[in-house]
Structures are given as C-alpha cells and as structure tokens.
Amino acid sequence: MNQQKLKKQKTDTIFIVKKDTVFVQSKQLEGINGSVIELKEEISSIGKKTEPTFWGAKYDTVFTVAITLFIFIIGILIDRYIKREQEKKELKELKEYFLNQVDELLNFIGPPLLKGYNKFYQETININSGIPTTPPKLLTNSFDRILKMESEKLFSSFASDEKVKFNQYFGEIDFLSNLLTDINDYHRIVLQRSESIRNPLAEIDYNYIKLLADFCEFDRNNGRTQHTDFFETKVQHYYDEIANGRHLVECYKEIVRPTQKYILDNNLMRTHPIGNKIGELGKLYSTKYNHLRMLIMEVRCQYRTFAHKIKQSLDKIKKLK
C-alpha cells in the first residue's frame, strides 16, 4: 500500500513513511539514500564501541588506584622508618642512662658504701655502743632506678657481642640490691637480740652497785670495816667514771670482775649475807656480759663478710667497664 502511494508521487521527491526509514524516488538521489543508511549504521556503531581495559577496569581507574596504593605504601614505609629511628634513639639513650647509673654506682655510691661497712664492723659496733639502729644506708635510690628499668628493652639496646656483659652488669647490681635487703633483715634480728641482753644487763648493773653500797652499810652498822674500803672504792669509781656513760666494758673489767674475785678470795659468798647476793648477781652479770660480747663478735664478723661481698661485686662491675 505504501509502495503504491510512492509510485503516484512526482519524480525527485522524498517521502518519509516511518521513523528512521527514508525512501527516495529520484534516481539522482539513490546514492543519497544509501549514504544515509550507512551514516545511520555508523552512528549506531559509535555507541557500541568500548574503551580499552586492564582486567576489566579502565586505565584511568587503574592509574588512580595504583597511585593511591603507592602513596599509602610509601606512607607506611616512612612511618615505620621514623618509628624505627625513634626506637634506635630511645634504646641508645636508655643504654647511655644505664651506663651513667653504673658510673655513678662505681664512683659516687660504691666507695662511700664500702667505707661505711668497713668502719661499721671495725669501729662502730662494740660492747659499749652496742649495735646501731640501722646499718649503713644508701643516700640514693640508684639501685631501684636501675632495677626498675625495662630489662627486655634495655637488653635489646646492647649489641649482640655486648649482651653477655649486660647480663653481668645487671646480675651484679641485682646481687648488691638483694644483699642490702638481706643485710637489713639480718640487722633487724641482731638488734633485737642485742636489746634483749643489754636491757637486763643495765638493770643488773644498777642492782649490783646498790648491793656493794648495802655491803658497806651493813658492815659499818655491825662494827666491821675489814672489807668496806674495797667496796666503797668500787662504788665511788663507778659513780665518778662509769655511771654517766656507756661503759659496760669498764664496768665489767674494773668493777664486777675484781669484786667477784675479791668475794671468792675472802669467802664472802659463804660468810656474808650480802656477799652471797653480790656473788650470785655477779655470776648473772658475767653471763649476760659474755653473751653480749659473743653477739658483738658475731655481728662484726658478719659485717666484715658483707663488706667483702660488696667489694667483690663492685670490683666485678669495674672490670666490665
């Protein structure tokens, strides 16, 4: 029907029958008709063409992702580098701090400490003075500062060939710290033992001198003066030279022992009522005094051992420098 209509139209006319379809009646325009169709096909094919891809992704997308990933990786590497350098710096500072503490121990702490312990057992501890309240003390907490440092981190600050030396450093410092703790515990025990002897001894001392005075008064009241001069001399000597200080040694050697010998030589323990009391109390005094003397000897020997151990440990640390 549509073709019959076209035949009735005049020559050289164009009639569009349907959308996107063109019919040309003229022979001169037959070439145009073909060109239009080819143009249509070419236009249709343009929309169907696709851009080149890399595993299904466009090159510009791949490039953007690659740059972003590269920058991310570089950022991680730079961050790790900075942290590693910072850690190296911290380890170096930690090692220097540790070695400075060791120098302080060897030069400013160890020598006075050793000197204090040598003097402690050679001069300070004796029967008259007794045992001091505390042993020689550190005036610094260097041991605590060193031992509280992170041992693993500190260990890693030393090179492989220095790690054995570090273990020796730390071992000796730990030994000294534990030794001082043990010394404090020991000192607390012996101080209690000393007080348990000295306190009763002080009371016996007072009662002993009182009995000597009672002896003199008893003999004078009974018209006997044979022994009063000896006892009065001892009482007077006690109050003049001994009573106002810590003089246990002098009291024992100059008062108690001579008096005990005098009583035994003159048989006063059997023949004199107060002489017997003086003799019995003198025995107790001598027993307590000798217990105290043995304790002081023990403590001095023990502190000499402590001083020797401190010196040995300090010498070992010094050899590691």
Side-chain angles (χ1 to χ4, degrees):
M1 181 68 179
N2 291 335
Q3 291 177 355
Q4 290 177 357
K5 288 182 179 180
L6 286 173
K7 289 179 182 181
K8 294 179 180 180
Q9 300 295 331
K10 294 181 180 181
T11 307
D12 299 333
T13 58
I14 298 174
F15 184 78
I16 299 174
V17 179
K18 58 172 70 173
K19 188 178 181 182
D20 296 334
T21 303
V22 180
F23 292 95
V24 180
Q25 187 63 34
S26 173
K27 290 181 179 182
Q28 290 82 0
L29 297 178
E30 288 180 356
I32 295 175
N33 187 37
S35 298
V36 172
I37 294 173
E38 291 176 0
L39 181 60
K40 174 189 174 185
E41 293 176 353
E42 185 176 349
I43 292 173
S44 299
S45 66
I46 290 175
K48 297 178 180 179
K49 290 182 179 180
T50 57
E51 296 182 6
T53 61
F54 179 79
W55 286 2
K58 294 181 180 181
Y59 281 116
D60 58 346
T61 303
V62 173
F63 179 77
T64 302
V65 173
I67 291 298
T68 303
L69 185 61
F70 175 76
I71 294 174
F72 177 72
I73 293 174
I74 290 298
I76 292 177
L77 294 177
I78 292 174
D79 182 66
R80 288 184 177 179
Y81 174 78
I82 293 173
K83 287 182 178 180
R84 186 165 59 249
E85 290 300 312
Q86 182 66 27
E87 184 178 359
K88 287 182 181 178
K89 181 181 178 182
E90 291 177 357
L91 291 177
K92 181 181 179 182
E93 292 175 351
L94 185 64
K95 179 181 178 181
E96 290 176 352
Y97 177 77
F98 173 78
L99 294 177
N100 286 336
Q101 293 298 310
V102 172
D103 288 338
E104 182 180 344
L105 173 64
L106 290 176
N107 298 321
F108 303 106
I109 300 174
L113 182 67
L114 181 59
K115 182 179 179 181
Y117 273 87
N118 285 332
K119 183 179 179 180
F120 201 66
Y121 82 83
Q122 292 172 356
E123 302 176 18
T124 305
I125 301 174
N126 55 62
I127 295 176
N128 282 340
S129 300
I131 299 175
T133 306
T134 61
K137 290 288 186 180
L138 287 174
L139 299 179
T140 177
N141 58 347
S142 291
F143 285 143
D144 291 337
R145 287 200 301 267
I146 294 175
L147 295 175
K148 287 180 180 179
M149 297 172 69
E150 298 181 43
S151 57
E152 293 183 5
K153 193 173 183 180
L154 183 60
F155 182 76
S156 63
S157 69
F158 284 79
S160 299
D161 57 342
E162 295 180 318
K163 293 190 184 298
V164 174
K165 182 185 291 187
F166 164 77
N167 285 331
Q168 292 173 332
Y169 270 133
F170 217 79
E172 290 302 327
I173 293 171
D174 185 57
F175 169 78
L176 283 173
S177 178
N178 290 331
L179 177 61
L180 293 179
T181 300
D182 292 341
I183 289 174
N184 286 330
D185 294 339
Y186 171 78
H187 192 88
R188 185 169 57 254
I189 293 172
V190 296
L191 183 62
Q192 292 174 352
R193 290 173 59 191
S194 174
E195 293 301 320
S196 69
I197 298 174
R198 293 182 68 87
N199 291 337
L201 194 58
E203 185 177 350
I204 294 171
D205 184 298
Y206 171 79
N207 292 330
Y208 191 82
I209 299 302
K210 185 176 182 299
L211 283 177
L212 297 186
D214 291 344
F215 184 98
C216 296
E217 183 178 1
F218 179 86
D219 272 17
R220 280 197 298 270
N221 291 337
N222 289 278
R224 298 187 298 186
T225 59
Q226 181 181 356
H227 306 293
T228 54
D229 288 344
F230 175 85
F231 288 105
E232 286 179 348
T233 301
K234 295 301 178 185
V235 172
Q236 189 65 42
H237 177 65
Y238 176 82
Y239 284 110
D240 289 344
E241 305 293 338
I242 297 174
N244 295 326
R246 291 185 171 186
H247 302 293
L248 286 175
V249 175
E250 291 77 8
C251 183
Y252 179 72
K253 290 183 177 181
E254 298 172 13
I255 303 294
V256 178
R257 284 184 63 183
T259 300
Q260 292 297 106
K261 184 177 185 303
Y262 186 89
I263 287 176
L264 290 174
D265 290 345
N266 291 275
N267 200 26
L268 294 176
M269 286 190 69
R270 293 182 178 181
T271 61
H272 199 288
I274 298 179
N276 178 266
K277 293 180 181 179
I278 293 174
E280 293 296 330
L281 192 59
K283 289 181 183 179
L284 182 60
Y285 190 104
S286 298
T287 300
K288 292 288 185 181
Y289 177 86
N290 284 310
H291 286 169
L292 181 62
R293 184 172 62 87
M294 295 300 294
L295 176 62
I296 294 299
M297 291 176 59
E298 172 197 323
V299 174
R300 293 179 68 177
C301 288
Q302 186 60 58
Y303 271 95
R304 182 175 61 185
T305 301
F306 289 149
H308 181 66
K309 288 183 177 181
I310 291 172
K311 183 178 184 304
Q312 278 186 325
S313 186
L314 292 174
D315 289 342
K316 288 179 181 179
I317 295 175
K318 191 177 296 184
K319 289 180 180 178
L320 295 173
K321 295 293 291 178

